[in-house]
Amino acid sequence: MKIERLDSVESTNKYCEALNLTEVEDFTCYWALEQTAGIGQRGNHWHSAPGENLTFSLILKPTWLPAERQFKLTQAISLATTDFLATYHLPHTTHIKWPNDIYVGNRKICGTLTTARLSTQAIKQSSNQAIISTAICGIGLNVNETLFPDWVPNPTSLRLLTGKSHDLGEALRALLQCIERRYLALRDGADIEAEYLGLLLGRGEAKRYTHLGQPVTATITGVDEYGRLLLTAENGSQLCCNMKELSYSWL
């Protein structure tokens, strides 16, 4: 595990995209004290007050993982984050909001964004298929911030939840250790599907969503092998949603 500290960058993911990643070791972390234009899912801005939260990108090289299973990385990192938060004995239940936001109660504490670079090589003697050569996993975790802009939806932080401030370096190392355990377990064949589904926010409950611009009441039933969310609408129809096709009207 290697940590590179950066004072200020536009975005740690963009910073990593500009690197020659063939020369970067597996499990290298680029930690920025300030991001001036952090990126969230769907191209949204990720807000983080300078010096108060964790904003970093982790370089992974899971050449053992077929490209079609790349959502497993998102699942592993989400579970690792819940592992980390569990050590603080927080007053509310921790959930994963599909596909990769972490909520404590009904408030968001963490978001992730993973981008993968693919290559083709023989995985089996008889066939070739696309695999992941490098993944850039961006993570933003609210640690010490207590005052958020009005446009940030449902935010919370470790300080708001625990009533005390936390050392960012110590928190980063502890979180990376949790990620490393999940990453290595995934490499060794761990089945994490049931754990991920068990922590999905809203699973098994009829809730209001907006699907392809239309309101719908539906119940989350699972996630398919490509990371698409599966729901059953109140009329019995089955929905299979990509990331940009669904929004949570009830949050």
Side-chain angles (χ1 to χ4, degrees):
M1 182 187 303
K2 183 179 181 181
I3 299 174
E4 297 282 354
R5 178 168 157 166
L6 309 169
D7 289 330
S8 180
V9 295
E10 180 180 355
S11 155
T12 56
N13 269 30
K14 285 186 176 181
Y15 179 89
C16 290
E17 288 170 359
L19 298 175
N20 181 356
L21 295 180
T22 61
E23 299 178 354
V24 178
E25 296 177 10
D26 190 18
F27 221 88
T28 297
C29 170
Y30 292 89
W31 169 31
L33 296 181
E34 179 185 29
Q35 280 193 143
T36 59
I39 302 172
Q41 283 288 357
R42 311 185 192 195
N44 293 330
H45 176 69
W46 177 262
H47 164 80
S48 182
E52 294 191 0
N53 304 315
L54 285 178
T55 51
F56 64 95
S57 291
L58 183 62
I59 304 301
L60 300 177
K61 298 192 174 184
T63 54
W64 37 268
L65 187 65
E68 62 188 24
R69 296 182 61 233
Q70 62 183 284
F71 188 68
K72 291 295 183 184
L73 286 178
T74 294
Q75 290 179 313
I77 289 172
S78 295
L79 288 172
T81 306
T82 66
D83 294 341
F84 166 77
L85 292 173
T87 65
Y88 290 89
H89 307 289
L90 302 178
H92 306 289
T93 303
T94 301
H95 291 287
I96 300 168
K97 176 179 170 286
W98 175 85
N100 51 7
D101 288 338
I102 308 300
Y103 272 58
V104 180
N106 64 349
R107 295 190 174 275
K108 181 176 176 178
I109 194 170
C110 180
T112 70
L113 178 63
T114 296
T115 58
R117 297 182 181 182
L118 307 181
S119 66
T120 301
Q121 72 174 41
I123 292 182
K124 297 179 180 179
Q125 282 187 336
S126 59
S127 66
N128 289 341
Q129 69 182 95
I131 65 166
I132 300 172
S133 61
T134 306
I136 302 173
C137 305
I139 298 174
L141 176 72
N142 298 331
V143 179
N144 291 322
E145 188 166 0
T146 58
L147 297 175
F148 293 86
D150 292 339
W151 57 266
V152 177
N154 304 320
T156 191
S157 68
L158 278 177
R159 184 168 184 175
L160 287 172
L161 291 165
T162 64
K164 59 182 180 180
S165 62
H166 301 272
D167 182 273
L168 292 180
E170 291 179 4
L172 175 62
R173 287 185 287 273
L175 176 53
L176 288 175
Q177 288 171 357
C178 290
I179 295 173
E180 186 175 38
R181 283 195 294 269
R182 288 287 185 174
Y183 179 63
L184 295 178
L186 182 64
R187 183 199 63 185
D188 294 340
D191 185 356
I192 60 177
E193 190 72 21
E195 280 189 274
Y196 180 85
L197 293 181
L199 291 174
L200 271 185
L201 186 67
R203 180 173 179 248
E205 304 174 46
K207 299 284 189 180
R208 295 287 290 175
Y209 298 91
T210 300
H211 177 240
L212 297 176
Q214 298 298 317
V216 61
T217 298
T219 301
I220 294 175
T221 58
V223 176
D224 73 7
E225 62 180 323
Y226 303 108
R228 296 176 298 191
L229 190 66
L230 306 176
L231 308 94
T232 300
E234 59 183 347
N235 64 4
S237 62
Q238 304 299 305
L239 305 177
C240 180
C241 303
N242 290 302
M243 183 180 64
K244 296 183 179 181
E245 297 175 348
L246 189 80
S247 60
Y248 289 60
S249 302
W250 51 278
L251 284 174

